Amino acid sequence: MASIASTQRRPAASTAHDSGNNSDDDSQTQAAVRQAAEGRRITRIVFIALLLDILSFTIILPLLPRSLEAYKTREGSDPSTLLGWTLATVAQLRHRILGWTTSRFLQQGARADLVLLGGMLGSLYSLLQCVVAPVIGRVSDRWGRRRTLMVCMAGNVVWTVLWVFSGSFESFLVARVIAGLSEGNVQISNTVIADVTDASTRSKGMALVGIAFAVGFTLGPSIGAYFSTKLSAEGSGSSVLAPFAAAAVFSLALLTVESLYLYFRLPETLHFKKSTDHGTEKEVAVAKQATGNSASVRRVLRRLNVVHFAYLFFFSGMEYTLTFLTHDKFNFSNMQQGRLLGFIGITSTLLQGGYVRRVKGRAAGRGDKSLVAQGMVGCTLGLLSIALCCLSADKIGDGNPSWWLWAGAVGFAVASATVVNCLNSMVSLVGASQAPGDTGRRLGDFRSAGQIGRALGPVFACSVYWLSGAAVCYLVGAVAVSVITLVFVVAIPATTVVASPVKRAAALSSSGRLNKAN
């Protein structure tokens, strides 16, 4: 009788245990659904804030060549000023080089010197970003994303205020130094999106960063060109205001709105997944064994960092000289510069929304490599097109650009829509096999590698442009990017998605329990 009673009690106990498991599964499913909804809400907040940030950042782009001309008019002839001394030094170097070269570009004299000066200024900004990016990443892992981002926003507001009142080149240079040390918005935005997404939604989330860039580069330069016709120091006779002070004031207004928006809407995301991505002590122990491929992960991360550096070294250099090229060869006005950059931005936006996000959605992380390769090919063809545009202009001697310039702009748009944001997605997914708490560090190191390229690229490109002319400069860039494309395709695996160690360990433990039960 006792045996029979015991036998009858076993199914009841088993049923109660199964019911408890089902209840736990339902509660975990509901928690996951709520977390996914909250992740989408945070991603939208990041997108809106980043769009405001990129608009503010791009306002200055079409104004830089003529801003340097304005500072040169104010103080370029005074050797006691920093700008006057720099231009005098560059002019001496130019005269020495002309002793052993017949560069047609250098024969333009002081006009050519502005291209090199612009490249040095751009490289300074990126060099500072290279230094500070790893620090920002590690601080955000320790202090939190929100607090670190608000500190960066404070620095952005400070530099823009200084820009408004940069009546001299020295004050403008100080403003740009503060800007380089403060610009962590893009990096932290990528980290926040990595915090609130998983492998199946990461690529789409990162694509929003690319869309923000594309829309920003569509509208920002045009806005800057528009405000350049309003209040200016030259028009008001002021020596205190920047050459295009109205554009700087509008940029400051955008940053102020962004700061308030982030302060009131963005929550902390550092431990966003802590409540659902955890396991028992046994599962965590198994997880540590499951990361035996960490050496291969580090190898892939190093290769991605090298590719990022090499690509941005050439792409950013050629991109930076584009407005100087159109100013030098075709005498583009601020409005024409804005239209060219706006065309690149519109094309990039259409590609992001209509093509990139669709490819990214096919399989988690598997479309990123293909998109990066396509973007690099587009960049190569774009650089070739601009080289042909320069050769055509030199041959004809016409002040109007050929259609090759717009073909090159399409190539730039394809590259802008795909390469960097897909590389960011790949890096964040490589990190899925590591502890989730060091996402800021990995993305910070990745951004730092790219910023080294951005720091050295403009100086290199402007130096080649300065010595050999625009056609040779863009032809060198096209050959280099084609080689980088080949290396990327061969050296980087098709997918960098690796399951979370805890989840993988839980699956292994569950599989072991099922095998024992059977």
Side-chain angles (χ1 to χ4, degrees), residues 214-508:
V215 175
F217 271 85
T218 300
L219 302 178
S222 298
I223 292 172
Y226 170 77
F227 278 101
S228 70
T229 62
K230 306 302 178 184
L231 174 66
S232 67
E234 283 68 32
S236 64
S238 172
S239 60
V240 176
L241 296 176
F244 301 105
V249 169
F250 187 76
S251 178
L252 177 61
L254 288 175
L255 288 174
T256 303
V257 172
E258 181 191 359
S259 299
L260 293 172
Y261 179 73
L262 287 170
Y263 181 81
F264 288 108
R265 296 298 302 275
L266 182 68
E268 180 53 61
T269 63
L270 179 58
H271 303 297
F272 183 80
K273 297 177 183 175
K274 189 174 181 180
S275 60
T276 59
D277 192 14
H278 64 276
T280 65
E281 293 183 2
K282 182 178 180 180
E283 287 170 348
V284 171
V286 176
K288 292 180 179 178
Q289 297 178 359
T291 55
N293 64 342
S294 59
S296 62
V297 168
R298 288 194 298 270
R299 183 168 61 251
V300 172
L301 284 172
R302 283 196 300 269
R303 291 177 179 178
L304 286 170
N305 288 346
V306 170
V307 168
H308 194 210
F309 159 76
Y311 170 75
L312 284 184
F313 178 84
F314 291 99
F315 175 76
S316 67
M318 305 302 147
E319 180 186 47
Y320 194 85
T321 60
L322 184 61
T323 54
F324 288 94
L325 180 148
T326 53
H327 175 66
D328 164 48
K329 288 194 172 295
F330 309 117
N331 199 31
F332 268 25
S333 65
N334 290 329
M335 193 62 68
Q336 287 174 307
Q337 299 278 28
R339 280 199 292 267
L340 175 63
L341 296 177
F343 173 77
I344 295 174
I346 290 173
T347 307
S348 180
T349 302
L350 294 175
L351 288 170
Q352 284 277 358
Y355 177 67
V356 174
R357 279 173 64 82
R358 187 173 294 117
V359 172
K360 281 175 170 286
R362 290 176 185 171
R366 295 182 181 275
D368 288 319
K369 181 178 179 180
S370 174
L371 287 169
V372 171
Q374 292 173 41
M376 289 182 176
V377 171
C379 179
T380 300
L381 295 177
L383 294 173
L384 280 174
S385 297
I386 295 177
L388 290 173
C389 174
C390 297
L391 290 172
S392 174
D394 291 340
K395 182 178 180 180
I396 299 175
D398 190 353
N400 297 315
S402 67
W403 67 271
W404 284 111
L405 176 65
W406 300 99
V410 171
F412 272 69
V414 173
S416 299
T418 53
V419 179
V420 173
N421 70 297
C422 290
L423 285 174
N424 270 298
S425 177
M426 294 177 76
V427 169
S428 68
L429 290 170
V430 170
S433 66
Q434 304 286 335
D438 69 346
T439 303
R441 178 190 64 80
R442 292 193 303 276
L443 288 173
D445 291 345
F446 176 75
R447 180 172 174 80
S448 178
Q451 291 303 320
I452 295 175
R454 283 193 183 276
L456 301 177
V459 168
F460 169 79
C462 290
S463 297
V464 176
Y465 193 126
W466 192 62
L467 291 170
S468 304
V472 173
C473 175
Y474 281 88
L475 184 60
V476 169
V479 173
V481 174
S482 65
V483 173
I484 295 168
T485 305
L486 180 61
V487 171
F488 171 78
V489 170
V490 172
I492 304 300
T495 178
T496 57
V497 178
V498 184
S500 168
V502 170
K503 292 180 178 179
R504 190 163 64 244
L508 290 173

Side-chain angles (χ1 to χ4, degrees), residues 80-164:
S80 65
T81 64
L82 176 62
L83 180 61
W85 176 84
T86 302
L87 290 176
T89 302
V90 172
Q92 291 176 5
L93 178 62
R94 171 167 44 83
H95 287 305
R96 291 177 183 176
I97 293 175
L98 280 173
W100 52 267
T101 184
T102 58
S103 170
R104 294 172 59 185
F105 180 66
L106 286 185
Q107 290 171 5
Q108 295 184 35
R111 188 179 180 89
D113 296 343
L114 285 179
V115 176
L116 185 61
L117 179 63
M120 294 166 62
L121 197 61
S123 290
L124 173 64
Y125 178 88
S126 296
L127 181 61
L128 294 169
Q129 283 278 283
C130 157
V131 172
V132 80
V135 177
I136 290 176
R138 285 161 173 79
V139 168
S140 72
D141 284 339
R142 184 172 182 178
W143 284 7
R145 321 302 189 201
R146 185 178 185 276
R147 187 184 302 179
T148 307
L149 183 56
M150 294 312 300
V151 171
C152 291
M153 289 305 306
N156 286 335
V157 170
V158 169
W159 98 257
T160 312
V161 171
L162 290 177
W163 176 24
V164 173

